[in-house]
PDB file of all heavy atoms in Angstrom:
ATOM      1  N   ASP A   1      21.272  61.312  24.785  1.00  0.00           N
ATOM      2  CA  ASP A   1      20.416  61.803  23.704  1.00  0.00           C
ATOM      3  C   ASP A   1      18.966  61.336  23.872  1.00  0.00           C
ATOM      4  O   ASP A   1      18.263  61.127  22.884  1.00  0.00           O
ATOM      5  CB  ASP A   1      20.981  61.369  22.339  1.00  0.00           C
ATOM      6  CG  ASP A   1      20.327  62.087  21.172  1.00  0.00           C
ATOM      7  OD1 ASP A   1      19.901  63.249  21.345  1.00  0.00           O
ATOM      8  OD2 ASP A   1      20.229  61.474  20.082  1.00  0.00           O
ATOM      9  N   GLY A   2      18.539  61.133  25.107  1.00  0.00           N
ATOM     10  CA  GLY A   2      17.150  60.767  25.364  1.00  0.00           C
ATOM     11  C   GLY A   2      16.756  59.395  24.863  1.00  0.00           C
ATOM     12  O   GLY A   2      15.567  59.063  24.803  1.00  0.00           O
ATOM     13  N   ARG A   3      17.732  58.575  24.532  1.00  0.00           N
ATOM     14  CA  ARG A   3      17.438  57.244  23.983  1.00  0.00           C
ATOM     15  C   ARG A   3      17.271  56.215  25.105  1.00  0.00           C
ATOM     16  O   ARG A   3      17.565  56.484  26.261  1.00  0.00           O
ATOM     17  CB  ARG A   3      18.534  56.835  22.997  1.00  0.00           C
ATOM     18  CG  ARG A   3      18.565  57.778  21.793  1.00  0.00           C
ATOM     19  CD  ARG A   3      19.749  57.578  20.879  1.00  0.00           C
ATOM     20  NE  ARG A   3      19.813  58.649  19.880  1.00  0.00           N
ATOM     21  CZ  ARG A   3      19.287  58.572  18.665  1.00  0.00           C
ATOM     22  NH1 ARG A   3      18.666  57.479  18.275  1.00  0.00           N
ATOM     23  NH2 ARG A   3      19.386  59.600  17.835  1.00  0.00           N
ATOM     24  N   ASP A   4      16.790  55.024  24.728  1.00  0.00           N
ATOM     25  CA  ASP A   4      16.425  54.022  25.731  1.00  0.00           C
ATOM     26  C   ASP A   4      17.633  53.376  26.406  1.00  0.00           C
ATOM     27  O   ASP A   4      17.536  52.930  27.552  1.00  0.00           O
ATOM     28  CB  ASP A   4      15.563  52.919  25.092  1.00  0.00           C
ATOM     29  CG  ASP A   4      14.187  53.437  24.671  1.00  0.00           C
ATOM     30  OD1 ASP A   4      13.748  54.447  25.254  1.00  0.00           O
ATOM     31  OD2 ASP A   4      13.573  52.827  23.775  1.00  0.00           O
ATOM     32  N   ASP A   5      18.752  53.285  25.691  1.00  0.00           N
ATOM     33  CA  ASP A   5      19.925  52.587  26.248  1.00  0.00           C
ATOM     34  C   ASP A   5      20.364  53.227  27.561  1.00  0.00           C
ATOM     35  O   ASP A   5      20.469  54.451  27.660  1.00  0.00           O
ATOM     36  CB  ASP A   5      21.097  52.632  25.266  1.00  0.00           C
ATOM     37  CG  ASP A   5      20.879  51.737  24.067  1.00  0.00           C
ATOM     38  OD1 ASP A   5      20.539  50.562  24.248  1.00  0.00           O
ATOM     39  OD2 ASP A   5      21.050  52.235  22.933  1.00  0.00           O
ATOM     40  N   ILE A   6      20.658  52.389  28.538  1.00  0.00           N
ATOM     41  CA  ILE A   6      21.224  52.843  29.809  1.00  0.00           C
ATOM     42  C   ILE A   6      22.704  52.472  29.804  1.00  0.00           C
ATOM     43  O   ILE A   6      23.073  51.331  29.517  1.00  0.00           O
ATOM     44  CB  ILE A   6      20.521  52.193  31.013  1.00  0.00           C
ATOM     45  CG1 ILE A   6      19.026  52.512  30.995  1.00  0.00           C
ATOM     46  CG2 ILE A   6      21.173  52.653  32.318  1.00  0.00           C
ATOM     47  CD1 ILE A   6      18.685  53.976  31.165  1.00  0.00           C
ATOM     48  N   PHE A   7      23.560  53.448  30.141  1.00  0.00           N
ATOM     49  CA  PHE A   7      25.001  53.225  30.173  1.00  0.00           C
ATOM     50  C   PHE A   7      25.461  53.219  31.626  1.00  0.00           C
ATOM     51  O   PHE A   7      25.168  54.152  32.377  1.00  0.00           O
ATOM     52  CB  PHE A   7      25.721  54.309  29.368  1.00  0.00           C
ATOM     53  CG  PHE A   7      25.378  54.273  27.912  1.00  0.00           C
ATOM     54  CD1 PHE A   7      24.305  55.017  27.422  1.00  0.00           C
ATOM     55  CD2 PHE A   7      26.090  53.473  27.030  1.00  0.00           C
ATOM     56  CE1 PHE A   7      23.968  54.976  26.081  1.00  0.00           C
ATOM     57  CE2 PHE A   7      25.759  53.424  25.682  1.00  0.00           C
ATOM     58  CZ  PHE A   7      24.697  54.176  25.208  1.00  0.00           C
ATOM     59  N   GLU A   8      26.161  52.158  31.985  1.00  0.00           N
ATOM     60  CA  GLU A   8      26.641  51.995  33.351  1.00  0.00           C
ATOM     61  C   GLU A   8      28.132  52.319  33.414  1.00  0.00           C
ATOM     62  O   GLU A   8      28.760  52.634  32.405  1.00  0.00           O
ATOM     63  CB  GLU A   8      26.336  50.575  33.834  1.00  0.00           C
ATOM     64  CG  GLU A   8      24.844  50.244  33.751  1.00  0.00           C
ATOM     65  CD  GLU A   8      24.488  48.931  34.429  1.00  0.00           C
ATOM     66  OE1 GLU A   8      25.386  48.311  35.047  1.00  0.00           O
ATOM     67  OE2 GLU A   8      23.314  48.531  34.344  1.00  0.00           O
ATOM     68  N   GLU A   9      28.684  52.234  34.613  1.00  0.00           N
ATOM     69  CA  GLU A   9      30.103  52.576  34.793  1.00  0.00           C
ATOM     70  C   GLU A   9      30.999  51.649  33.965  1.00  0.00           C
ATOM     71  O   GLU A   9      30.806  50.431  33.962  1.00  0.00           O
ATOM     72  CB  GLU A   9      30.461  52.504  36.277  1.00  0.00           C
ATOM     73  CG  GLU A   9      29.770  53.593  37.076  1.00  0.00           C
ATOM     74  CD  GLU A   9      30.079  53.510  38.560  1.00  0.00           C
ATOM     75  OE1 GLU A   9      31.216  53.177  38.921  1.00  0.00           O
ATOM     76  OE2 GLU A   9      29.162  53.788  39.362  1.00  0.00           O
ATOM     77  N   GLY A  10      31.947  52.256  33.276  1.00  0.00           N
ATOM     78  CA  GLY A  10      32.828  51.513  32.378  1.00  0.00           C
ATOM     79  C   GLY A  10      32.317  51.477  30.955  1.00  0.00           C
ATOM     80  O   GLY A  10      33.072  51.199  30.023  1.00  0.00           O
ATOM     81  N   ASP A  11      31.015  51.753  30.768  1.00  0.00           N
ATOM     82  CA  ASP A  11      30.441  51.772  29.418  1.00  0.00           C
ATOM     83  C   ASP A  11      30.819  53.058  28.689  1.00  0.00           C
ATOM     84  O   ASP A  11      31.124  54.081  29.308  1.00  0.00           O
ATOM     85  CB  ASP A  11      28.908  51.712  29.481  1.00  0.00           C
ATOM     86  CG  ASP A  11      28.362  50.349  29.907  1.00  0.00           C
ATOM     87  OD1 ASP A  11      29.129  49.373  29.925  1.00  0.00           O
ATOM     88  OD2 ASP A  11      27.145  50.279  30.215  1.00  0.00           O
ATOM     89  N   GLY A  12      30.707  52.981  27.372  1.00  0.00           N
ATOM     90  CA  GLY A  12      30.858  54.157  26.540  1.00  0.00           C
ATOM     91  C   GLY A  12      29.768  54.188  25.487  1.00  0.00           C
ATOM     92  O   GLY A  12      29.084  53.186  25.240  1.00  0.00           O
ATOM     93  N   ALA A  13      29.594  55.338  24.856  1.00  0.00           N
ATOM     94  CA  ALA A  13      28.627  55.486  23.775  1.00  0.00           C
ATOM     95  C   ALA A  13      29.305  56.172  22.598  1.00  0.00           C
ATOM     96  O   ALA A  13      29.863  57.263  22.749  1.00  0.00           O
ATOM     97  CB  ALA A  13      27.426  56.313  24.235  1.00  0.00           C
ATOM     98  N   PHE A  14      29.269  55.520  21.437  1.00  0.00           N
ATOM     99  CA  PHE A  14      29.689  56.147  20.191  1.00  0.00           C
ATOM    100  C   PHE A  14      28.489  56.909  19.642  1.00  0.00           C
ATOM    101  O   PHE A  14      27.458  56.296  19.330  1.00  0.00           O
ATOM    102  CB  PHE A  14      30.095  55.100  19.153  1.00  0.00           C
ATOM    103  CG  PHE A  14      31.307  54.275  19.500  1.00  0.00           C
ATOM    104  CD1 PHE A  14      31.173  52.960  19.940  1.00  0.00           C
ATOM    105  CD2 PHE A  14      32.582  54.790  19.360  1.00  0.00           C
ATOM    106  CE1 PHE A  14      32.285  52.186  20.235  1.00  0.00           C
ATOM    107  CE2 PHE A  14      33.708  54.030  19.643  1.00  0.00           C
ATOM    108  CZ  PHE A  14      33.556  52.721  20.090  1.00  0.00           C
ATOM    109  N   VAL A  15      28.602  58.226  19.530  1.00  0.00           N
ATOM    110  CA  VAL A  15      27.514  59.021  18.960  1.00  0.00           C
ATOM    111  C   VAL A  15      28.031  59.626  17.659  1.00  0.00           C
ATOM    112  O   VAL A  15      28.921  60.475  17.669  1.00  0.00           O
ATOM    113  CB  VAL A  15      27.022  60.118  19.928  1.00  0.00           C
ATOM    114  CG1 VAL A  15      25.748  60.756  19.383  1.00  0.00           C
ATOM    115  CG2 VAL A  15      26.774  59.552  21.328  1.00  0.00           C
ATOM    116  N   ASP A  16      27.468  59.170  16.547  1.00  0.00           N
ATOM    117  CA  ASP A  16      27.963  59.543  15.223  1.00  0.00           C
ATOM    118  C   ASP A  16      26.887  60.317  14.460  1.00  0.00           C
ATOM    119  O   ASP A  16      25.715  60.329  14.844  1.00  0.00           O
ATOM    120  CB  ASP A  16      28.347  58.277  14.452  1.00  0.00           C
ATOM    121  CG  ASP A  16      29.503  58.486  13.501  1.00  0.00           C
ATOM    122  OD1 ASP A  16      29.792  59.651  13.161  1.00  0.00           O
ATOM    123  OD2 ASP A  16      30.113  57.482  13.082  1.00  0.00           O
ATOM    124  N   GLY A  17      27.285  60.966  13.376  1.00  0.00           N
ATOM    125  CA  GLY A  17      26.354  61.698  12.537  1.00  0.00           C
ATOM    126  C   GLY A  17      25.947  63.043  13.106  1.00  0.00           C
ATOM    127  O   GLY A  17      24.902  63.599  12.728  1.00  0.00           O
ATOM    128  N   LEU A  18      26.760  63.580  13.999  1.00  0.00           N
ATOM    129  CA  LEU A  18      26.445  64.856  14.643  1.00  0.00           C
ATOM    130  C   LEU A  18      26.932  66.041  13.806  1.00  0.00           C
ATOM    131  O   LEU A  18      27.804  65.894  12.952  1.00  0.00           O
ATOM    132  CB  LEU A  18      27.094  64.911  16.028  1.00  0.00           C
ATOM    133  CG  LEU A  18      26.566  63.910  17.064  1.00  0.00           C
ATOM    134  CD1 LEU A  18      27.518  63.811  18.251  1.00  0.00           C
ATOM    135  CD2 LEU A  18      25.169  64.320  17.534  1.00  0.00           C
ATOM    136  N   HIS A  19      26.373  67.206  14.117  1.00  0.00           N
ATOM    137  CA  HIS A  19      26.797  68.452  13.488  1.00  0.00           C
ATOM    138  C   HIS A  19      27.214  69.434  14.574  1.00  0.00           C
ATOM    139  O   HIS A  19      26.623  69.465  15.660  1.00  0.00           O
ATOM    140  CB  HIS A  19      25.665  69.067  12.664  1.00  0.00           C
ATOM    141  CG  HIS A  19      25.040  68.140  11.674  1.00  0.00           C
ATOM    142  ND1 HIS A  19      25.779  67.491  10.707  1.00  0.00           N
ATOM    143  CD2 HIS A  19      23.753  67.734  11.508  1.00  0.00           C
ATOM    144  CE1 HIS A  19      24.977  66.740   9.971  1.00  0.00           C
ATOM    145  NE2 HIS A  19      23.740  66.858  10.443  1.00  0.00           N
ATOM    146  N   ALA A  20      28.221  70.235  14.296  1.00  0.00           N
ATOM    147  CA  ALA A  20      28.631  71.275  15.240  1.00  0.00           C
ATOM    148  C   ALA A  20      27.418  72.126  15.607  1.00  0.00           C
ATOM    149  O   ALA A  20      26.639  72.519  14.737  1.00  0.00           O
ATOM    150  CB  ALA A  20      29.729  72.134  14.639  1.00  0.00           C
ATOM    151  N   GLY A  21      27.245  72.382  16.889  1.00  0.00           N
ATOM    152  CA  GLY A  21      26.109  73.158  17.376  1.00  0.00           C
ATOM    153  C   GLY A  21      24.961  72.310  17.876  1.00  0.00           C
ATOM    154  O   GLY A  21      24.079  72.824  18.583  1.00  0.00           O
ATOM    155  N   ASP A  22      24.935  71.014  17.534  1.00  0.00           N
ATOM    156  CA  ASP A  22      23.906  70.123  18.087  1.00  0.00           C
ATOM    157  C   ASP A  22      23.975  70.128  19.613  1.00  0.00           C
ATOM    158  O   ASP A  22      25.064  70.252  20.189  1.00  0.00           O
ATOM    159  CB  ASP A  22      24.111  68.685  17.600  1.00  0.00           C
ATOM    160  CG  ASP A  22      23.632  68.447  16.185  1.00  0.00           C
ATOM    161  OD1 ASP A  22      22.911  69.295  15.639  1.00  0.00           O
ATOM    162  OD2 ASP A  22      23.987  67.382  15.611  1.00  0.00           O
ATOM    163  N   LYS A  23      22.849  69.934  20.246  1.00  0.00           N
ATOM    164  CA  LYS A  23      22.790  69.827  21.709  1.00  0.00           C
ATOM    165  C   LYS A  23      22.614  68.357  22.073  1.00  0.00           C
ATOM    166  O   LYS A  23      21.551  67.772  21.835  1.00  0.00           O
ATOM    167  CB  LYS A  23      21.630  70.650  22.275  1.00  0.00           C
ATOM    168  CG  LYS A  23      21.625  72.117  21.845  1.00  0.00           C
ATOM    169  CD  LYS A  23      22.829  72.887  22.372  1.00  0.00           C
ATOM    170  CE  LYS A  23      22.723  74.364  22.021  1.00  0.00           C
ATOM    171  NZ  LYS A  23      23.910  75.129  22.445  1.00  0.00           N
ATOM    172  N   LEU A  24      23.655  67.774  22.633  1.00  0.00           N
ATOM    173  CA  LEU A  24      23.639  66.366  23.026  1.00  0.00           C
ATOM    174  C   LEU A  24      23.366  66.276  24.517  1.00  0.00           C
ATOM    175  O   LEU A  24      24.159  66.770  25.327  1.00  0.00           O
ATOM    176  CB  LEU A  24      24.981  65.707  22.684  1.00  0.00           C
ATOM    177  CG  LEU A  24      25.106  64.217  22.988  1.00  0.00           C
ATOM    178  CD1 LEU A  24      24.170  63.395  22.100  1.00  0.00           C
ATOM    179  CD2 LEU A  24      26.554  63.749  22.805  1.00  0.00           C
ATOM    180  N   THR A  25      22.248  65.665  24.907  1.00  0.00           N
ATOM    181  CA  THR A  25      21.894  65.582  26.321  1.00  0.00           C
ATOM    182  C   THR A  25      22.460  64.316  26.949  1.00  0.00           C
ATOM    183  O   THR A  25      22.513  63.256  26.331  1.00  0.00           O
ATOM    184  CB  THR A  25      20.368  65.607  26.531  1.00  0.00           C
ATOM    185  OG1 THR A  25      19.792  64.486  25.861  1.00  0.00           O
ATOM    186  CG2 THR A  25      19.762  66.890  26.008  1.00  0.00           C
ATOM    187  N   VAL A  26      22.889  64.457  28.195  1.00  0.00           N
ATOM    188  CA  VAL A  26      23.335  63.323  29.010  1.00  0.00           C
ATOM    189  C   VAL A  26      22.589  63.429  30.337  1.00  0.00           C
ATOM    190  O   VAL A  26      22.710  64.430  31.044  1.00  0.00           O
ATOM    191  CB  VAL A  26      24.857  63.334  29.242  1.00  0.00           C
ATOM    192  CG1 VAL A  26      25.270  62.126  30.077  1.00  0.00           C
ATOM    193  CG2 VAL A  26      25.609  63.336  27.913  1.00  0.00           C
ATOM    194  N   GLU A  27      21.830  62.387  30.654  1.00  0.00           N
ATOM    195  CA  GLU A  27      20.981  62.393  31.840  1.00  0.00           C
ATOM    196  C   GLU A  27      21.478  61.343  32.832  1.00  0.00           C
ATOM    197  O   GLU A  27      21.770  60.199  32.453  1.00  0.00           O
ATOM    198  CB  GLU A  27      19.547  62.078  31.419  1.00  0.00           C
ATOM    199  CG  GLU A  27      18.531  62.108  32.532  1.00  0.00           C
ATOM    200  CD  GLU A  27      17.136  61.754  32.044  1.00  0.00           C
ATOM    201  OE1 GLU A  27      16.971  61.479  30.824  1.00  0.00           O
ATOM    202  OE2 GLU A  27      16.205  61.745  32.865  1.00  0.00           O
ATOM    203  N   SER A  28      21.586  61.721  34.092  1.00  0.00           N
ATOM    204  CA  SER A  28      21.989  60.790  35.154  1.00  0.00           C
ATOM    205  C   SER A  28      20.740  60.081  35.671  1.00  0.00           C
ATOM    206  O   SER A  28      19.844  60.719  36.231  1.00  0.00           O
ATOM    207  CB  SER A  28      22.672  61.557  36.287  1.00  0.00           C
ATOM    208  OG  SER A  28      22.959  60.706  37.375  1.00  0.00           O
TER     209      SER A  28
END
């Protein structure tokens, strides 16, 4: 979601407060 946190292998992200149809970006 364009945020500062970097997630490495084995990590997960809880993304809450979403609405159907939102576009959630994941960048490598």
Side-chain angles (χ1 to χ4, degrees):
D1 193 30
R3 296 171 189 266
D4 292 336
D5 288 310
I6 301 295
F7 296 90
E8 303 189 5
E9 292 178 37
D11 288 347
F14 295 104
V15 189
D16 212 341
L18 294 165
H19 308 304
D22 282 346
K23 306 295 185 183
L24 182 66
T25 61
V26 181
E27 183 181 0
S28 175

